Amino acid sequence: MWEEVNLSPSTGNLLMDWVFVLTGLWAVIRFILVPLWKSWKAKLSLSYCPSIILPRFEKSFDHIRRIPSRRKNQKEHKVNLYRLTCSCHHGNSRRKYAPSQDIRRLCRHLRKELERSNLLLQYDELIQIIIDHRVKDTCYKIVQIQGDDVAIGFHPRSDFVRIYARRMAKQDPPEGPPTGHYDKFTFLLSQEIWIYGDPPPNAEIIIPTVNVVVSEHRNRYKKDSGGPEAVPIRT
Ligand SMILES: [Zn+2]
């Protein structure tokens, strides 16, 4: 006599258990581990570089301002000028990983709102020119050339270096120091040439300084198994 055995309910339950476990695993990887890994990688990438820490505005600026999006179908952005945060930071922007008050936090929305509120003028002229040029670099180093601040913007893996230095004013003697407005100059490291325009005053002092600063950070990058990827900061 044969006993009837029905396997289907227990097999079905087992299958459901597996689906449940695999879905849970996928969710943990997708929503916890991947974001943690991305955040660690981005923070590591930014930590390799020196940067500029901005002075904080008064506490009265510690509130949310709503900025309309440029795209019609997108919602507004919420920025806080005291904390230098923007709701776009919750997306793929690497700017959110920069430390508090770091100039690299300034996305397009924060930059525009600083400009619109005339708060940009509270920063010194060197900071203003870097912000005017959209804070594109991963590393910023301020050096003193002839007693004046010059900023070097670079990425350890890139051949392009942006220099923010003063131009000569009409009344300046040829030997300097330059006292004109700050401007951006672009230098191609491998060929040691200035591109997109004239060289800055004191180029003969700036070039060796740039070489020292960039090679020092390139070496630090190489030591740690090739360093993180050279991903430009966007928005
Ligand atoms: Zn933003």
Side-chain angles (χ1 to χ4, degrees):
M1 206 167 108
W2 294 96
E3 193 179 339
E4 192 178 319
V5 179
N6 189 357
L7 286 173
S8 57
S10 58
T11 309
N13 286 341
L14 196 64
L15 198 65
M16 284 302 289
D17 285 350
W18 270 107
V19 168
F20 184 73
V21 167
L22 288 175
T23 308
L25 267 176
W26 173 82
V28 167
I29 293 169
R30 169 71 180 78
F31 296 109
I32 299 175
L33 295 182
V34 169
L36 273 176
W37 178 73
K38 278 187 179 173
S39 137
W40 171 79
K41 206 174 134 189
K43 282 179 186 166
L44 182 70
S45 168
L46 293 171
S47 73
Y48 276 85
C49 288
S51 186
I52 296 168
I53 299 301
L54 299 169
R56 215 185 258 283
F57 296 121
E58 290 169 18
K59 185 78 176 156
S60 59
F61 291 102
D62 189 7
H63 56 87
I64 298 291
R65 294 166 181 238
R66 293 169 190 277
I67 315 288
S69 172
R70 281 195 309 176
R71 293 173 193 158
K72 279 182 188 169
N73 56 349
Q74 281 204 351
K75 50 188 178 181
E76 62 198 2
H77 293 291
K78 295 171 195 157
V79 304
N80 182 318
L81 297 178
Y82 177 77
R83 298 173 190 274
L84 297 187
T85 55
C86 177
S87 54
C88 82
H89 287 181
H90 299 301
N92 286 323
S93 172
R94 282 159 40 86
R95 294 191 182 278
K96 67 182 166 189
Y97 300 116
S100 172
Q101 296 306 113
D102 192 308
I103 197 170
R104 297 172 297 182
R105 294 188 69 83
L106 298 184
C107 60
R108 179 159 47 82
H109 318 107
L110 280 167
R111 294 194 303 270
K112 290 286 174 201
E113 191 55 21
L114 285 173
E115 195 180 340
R116 201 187 62 79
S117 319
N118 284 330
L119 284 171
L120 207 52
L121 300 173
Q122 291 196 19
Y123 294 136
D124 64 39
E125 209 187 330
L126 179 57
I127 303 292
Q128 287 181 41
I129 189 83
I130 296 172
I131 296 174
D132 277 350
H133 284 90
R134 301 191 282 168
V135 199
K136 284 180 179 173
D137 290 298
T138 305
C139 314
Y140 288 96
K141 176 88 176 172
I142 295 180
V143 294
Q144 288 264 312
I145 305 280
Q146 277 202 323
D148 204 15
D149 285 343
V150 169
I152 304 170
F154 63 101
H155 189 289
R157 283 192 181 172
S158 172
D159 205 21
F160 288 88
V161 179
R162 281 176 266 262
I163 309 294
Y164 301 90
R166 286 189 191 280
R167 284 197 176 273
M168 294 292 269
K170 276 183 185 168
Q171 71 277 9
D172 289 340
E175 67 276 13
T179 63
H181 287 297
Y182 272 101
D183 206 350
K184 184 196 78 170
F185 304 86
T186 310
F187 188 63
L188 198 57
L189 266 176
S190 60
Q191 297 179 38
E192 297 222 337
I193 53 168
W194 296 93
I195 53 174
Y196 312 136
D198 308 329
N202 291 322
E204 69 288 351
I205 308 174
I206 291 173
I207 292 172
T209 310
V210 165
N211 275 318
V212 168
V213 168
V214 178
S215 55
E216 178 197 332
H217 289 91
R218 275 188 176 166
N219 289 337
R220 283 180 58 191
Y221 230 62
K222 281 176 192 163
K223 273 183 197 166
D224 294 276
S225 63
E229 282 174 44
V231 183
I233 296 186
R234 291 203 176 85
T235 72

